[in-house]
Amino acid sequence: GDSVTQMEGPVTLSEEAFLTINCTYTATGYPSLFWYVQYPGEGLQLLLKATKADDKGSNKGFEATYRKETTSFHLEKGSVQVSDSAVYFCALSEGKSSGDKLTFGTGTRLAVRP
Amino acid sequence: GAVVSQHPSRVICKSGTSVKIECRSLDFQATTMFWYRQFPKQSLMLMATSNEGSKATYEQGVEKDKFLINHASLTLSTLTVTSAHPEDSSFYICSAGSASTDTQYFGPGTRLTVL
């Protein structure tokens, strides 16, 4: 079945440091890939997505590129802020619509120090 | 953006009682809603997919008689944990799919503690 593997946290960085959170996946078809973020006390929010190979999703300074050859969707940000402290989830969906179920990774907690 | 609410945010109940959790899409209609369970430091585990006006589809290993799901309208789905036991204690999260944006929007979750 489908699965998502992401690096274990917590990840602790100083403000303005470069961020990478690794994510790899296993799927039978050509899934859509997502990064969700969960701020303390809030629900998961979609951060970015990519629906086909070589697509780059980007939002709020975060980027991730759909790499079919390495089955990866690593999250990057050039300069993190304290407000980026949250839990980040990588996910995939076999379908392209909002009615298709998501398979999540275990989440990576990011803590950014001032 | 689209907002999904859950009520209650926290509930503590005695073993053997039933608990109902509501999930509402506040500013959009959701044909499909999903219910997840999240254990500490673990991923979200999909429990069931709920379609408005029809029976929910449960994932393998999820007891449908224990976790009753009702999706009576395009803005409301409910999860009832029947005869709750301490092992049902968990964080329950719902999401609602928006056809107009092709995105799932998540509720803030409900922390259930069964004593």
Side-chain angles (χ1 to χ4, degrees), chain A residues 82-99:
Chain A
V82 172
S83 57
D84 294 327
S85 299
V87 181
Y88 292 82
F89 291 91
C90 185
L92 70 80
S93 171
E94 287 282 8
K96 305 296 182 189
S97 84
S98 61

Side-chain angles (χ1 to χ4, degrees), chain A residues 34 36 38 41-46 49 89 96-107, chain B residues 32 34 36 38 41-44 46 49 59 91 93 97-99 101-104 106-108:
Chain A
F34 306 82
Y36 280 84
Q38 186 176 31
E42 298 184 18
L44 276 75
Q45 301 173 26
L46 178 64
K49 70 178 182 181
F89 291 91
K96 305 296 182 189
S97 84
S98 61
D100 297 307
K101 60 184 182 182
L102 293 166
T103 300
F104 284 88
T106 53
Chain B
T32 306
F34 302 86
Y36 296 85
Q38 186 179 27
K41 298 185 179 180
Q42 292 190 30
S43 182
L44 281 73
L46 180 66
T49 303
E59 295 298 300
F91 196 56
I93 301 173
S98 170
T101 60
D102 256 343
T103 299
Q104 283 186 39
F106 284 77

Side-chain angles (χ1 to χ4, degrees), chain B residues 51-90:
Chain B
N51 289 296
E52 187 264 339
S54 63
K55 290 184 178 180
T57 303
Y58 290 81
E59 295 298 300
Q60 193 172 8
V62 178
E63 298 175 60
K64 59 184 176 183
D65 293 331
K66 180 164 189 62
F67 298 101
L68 299 179
I69 292 172
N70 187 344
H71 192 159
S73 77
L74 288 172
T75 59
L76 173 65
S77 177
T78 59
L79 168 68
T80 301
V81 183
T82 62
S83 187
H85 288 95
E87 58 265 29
D88 299 324
S89 298
S90 193

Side-chain angles (χ1 to χ4, degrees), chain A residues 5 8 31 33 36 56 67-68 80 86:
Chain A
T5 302
E8 285 193 29
L33 302 174
Y36 280 84
K56 177 186 284 188
R67 301 284 188 203
K68 182 168 169 284
V80 294

Side-chain angles (χ1 to χ4, degrees), chain A residues 21-44:
Chain A
I21 300 177
N22 290 337
C23 172
T24 57
Y25 67 90
T26 303
T28 51
Y30 299 94
S32 295
L33 302 174
F34 306 82
W35 277 100
Y36 280 84
V37 59
Q38 186 176 31
Y39 298 103
E42 298 184 18
L44 276 75

